[in-house]
Amino acid sequence: MKNFSRANTGIDLNLIPVFIEVVRCGSMAKASVRLDMSRPAVSLALKRFNQLFNEPLFFRKGLYLEPTEKALALTSSLEILMGDIHDNIAEINSSTKTLAQNAPGRDIIMQQAESSV
C-alpha cells in the first residue's frame, strides 16, 4: 500500500476544501465565512495550494478572484473525488450500523444495558 502522507507527497489534503470553496465563492472573504475559518487562514491555505502548481489558479478582479480554466477543471475533478470519499465513508458507516443492528444477541445486550441504568 502506498504512503500518501503529506511528508511523502508534500500535499496537504486539508487544502482541497479551501480551494474548492474559494472557487465556488469567488472570494476569500466569503469562503472564510462558509468554512468557518479566518480570512488570513484561508489566504494562507490558498497560497500553499497554489504553490503545488507551476501557474496561477486565480486572477484578481478587484475584490474577487476569478479562477483560471485550469482551476475550474481541477475543481471539477476534486469535487468528484471529495464526493466519492464522503460517499464511501457514509456507506461504511451505514453498513457498520446495519451489521451491528443485526448482530446475534443484540437484543439481549440492549435489554441488559437498559435494565442496569
Side-chain angles (χ1 to χ4, degrees):
M1 185 162 125
K2 282 189 168 184
N3 183 349
F4 292 109
S5 72
R6 180 174 41 172
N8 285 347
T9 64
I11 300 170
D12 182 351
L13 299 178
N14 293 311
L15 304 175
I16 293 172
V18 176
F19 167 73
I20 290 172
E21 204 58 45
V22 172
V23 170
R24 286 178 181 165
C25 295
S27 154
M28 283 190 272
K30 290 178 183 176
S32 71
V33 171
R34 291 182 68 171
L35 293 165
D36 195 26
M37 294 173 65
S38 70
R39 289 180 189 177
V42 170
S43 177
L44 181 61
L46 193 60
K47 180 181 179 182
R48 289 178 54 213
F49 189 78
N50 271 310
Q51 290 173 344
L52 298 172
F53 302 93
N54 295 327
E55 60 189 77
L57 297 174
F58 296 93
F59 295 110
R60 181 157 293 283
K61 285 207 168 180
L63 297 174
Y64 298 97
L65 295 173
E66 185 174 319
T68 63
E69 290 298 319
K70 184 174 191 167
L72 292 173
L74 183 60
T75 301
S76 178
S77 297
L78 291 173
E79 285 177 325
I80 292 168
L81 291 170
M82 294 298 283
D84 288 346
I85 290 168
H86 287 281
D87 291 347
N88 282 319
I89 290 171
E91 184 178 320
I92 289 169
N93 285 337
S94 68
S95 67
T96 303
K97 288 177 185 173
T98 304
L99 291 173
Q101 289 168 348
N102 296 330
R106 178 184 177 273
D107 293 332
I108 294 169
I109 294 169
M110 293 303 290
Q111 288 171 353
Q112 290 172 348
E114 289 172 1
S115 65
S116 67
V117 173

